């Protein structure tokens, strides 16, 4: 099954910090996502996972979706369906139909206890990298020249091509 790739927004500028966030230039996120997609196409899943994981921690909803799918499949990382569901839940904050469908499908193969564990992990991930933490807003928009609705997400704190992204939280996910 092929993952859906979204190339939208952000990247790490320097070490400057502002209100517990880091600044990120748009082209750097775009470049990270492009490299991640090329890694997938060349079947370098380890590199793809690393790059998508970085973008996911910058609050990119498409990257969060891909990280969740990669955890579920064990591509580029050890298979972990609970962690996969957790990332899919965070991605589903965007209310994108594909993200919600993937989350619901992932839930079907898990026990109630595993779903509860995934919910707890998702809450921690969302508090660090979710829409509120990343200052992201998402909305349904019509694709230009069609009746097809797409979900587009935007960082709400943008100056020129620089945005604020959540400050790296260390490796708290490794402890989960």
């Amino acid at each position: 099954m092929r993952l859906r790739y979204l190339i939208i927004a952000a990247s790490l500028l320097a070490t400057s910090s502002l209100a517990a966030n880091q600044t990120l230039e748009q082209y750097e996120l775009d470049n990270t996502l492009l490299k991640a997609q090329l890694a997938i196409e060349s079947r370098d899943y380890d590199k793809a996972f690393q790059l998508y994981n970085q973008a996911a921690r910058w609050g990119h909803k498409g990257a969060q979706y891909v990280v969740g799918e990669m955890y579920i499949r064990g591509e580029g990382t050890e298979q972990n369906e609970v962690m996969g569901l957790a990332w899919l839940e965070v991605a589903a904050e965007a209310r994108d139909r594909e993200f919600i469908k993937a989350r619901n499908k992932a839930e079907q193969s898990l026990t109630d206890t595993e779903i509860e564990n995934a919910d707890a992990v998702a809450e921690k991930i969302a508090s660090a990298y979710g829409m509120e933490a990343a200052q992201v807003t998402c909305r349904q928009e019509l694709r230009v020249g069609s009746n097809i609705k797409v979900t587009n997400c935007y960082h709400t704190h943008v100056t020129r091509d620089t945005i604020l992204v959540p400050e790296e939280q260390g490796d708290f996910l490794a402890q989960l």
Side-chain angles (χ1 to χ4, degrees), residues 112-124:
D112 289 343
T113 302
E114 290 171 324
I115 292 170
E116 287 175 20
N117 290 341
D119 288 343
V121 172
E123 191 173 309
K124 291 179 181 181

Side-chain angles (χ1 to χ4, degrees), residues 5-158:
Y5 309 102
L6 301 175
I7 298 181
I8 310 175
S11 125
L12 183 61
L13 175 58
T15 57
S16 64
S17 177
L18 181 65
N21 286 341
Q22 299 173 338
T23 61
L24 181 72
E25 290 187 19
Q26 181 72 42
Y27 79 88
E28 290 186 52
L29 176 60
D30 293 344
N31 191 41
T32 299
L33 293 168
L34 178 59
K35 286 180 182 178
Q37 184 173 349
L38 292 172
I40 288 281
E41 290 172 4
S42 66
R43 299 181 191 268
D44 186 351
Y45 297 118
D46 292 341
K47 182 176 181 180
F49 180 81
Q50 172 196 359
L51 293 165
Y52 276 122
N53 190 42
Q54 180 63 61
R57 291 170 187 237
W58 288 334
H60 188 273
K61 292 298 171 190
Q64 292 171 349
Y65 162 79
V66 174
V67 166
E69 290 288 343
M70 292 183 84
Y71 267 117
I72 288 170
R73 293 187 181 106
E75 293 176 340
T77 187
E78 186 174 322
Q79 185 175 19
N80 185 331
E81 292 177 337
V82 170
M83 188 65 81
L85 176 57
W87 275 108
L88 290 173
E89 285 185 23
V90 175
E93 288 180 313
R95 296 187 186 143
D96 179 88
R97 186 179 318 168
E98 295 242 358
F99 299 171
I100 293 168
K101 183 178 171 183
R103 180 202 59 205
N104 293 345
K105 182 179 178 186
E107 282 182 343
Q108 292 174 357
S109 65
L110 299 178
T111 66
D112 289 343
T113 302
E114 290 171 324
I115 292 170
E116 287 175 20
N117 290 341
D119 288 343
V121 172
E123 191 173 309
K124 291 179 181 181
I125 294 171
S127 70
Y129 308 115
M131 287 177 65
E132 187 176 332
Q135 299 179 35
V136 169
T137 185
C138 300
R139 60 180 173 255
Q140 293 271 318
E141 299 173 341
L142 288 176
R143 184 173 288 161
V144 176
S146 76
N147 290 330
I148 298 171
K149 285 187 177 181
V150 294
T151 302
N152 290 318
C153 297
Y154 306 93
H155 283 85
T156 56
H157 192 288
V158 178

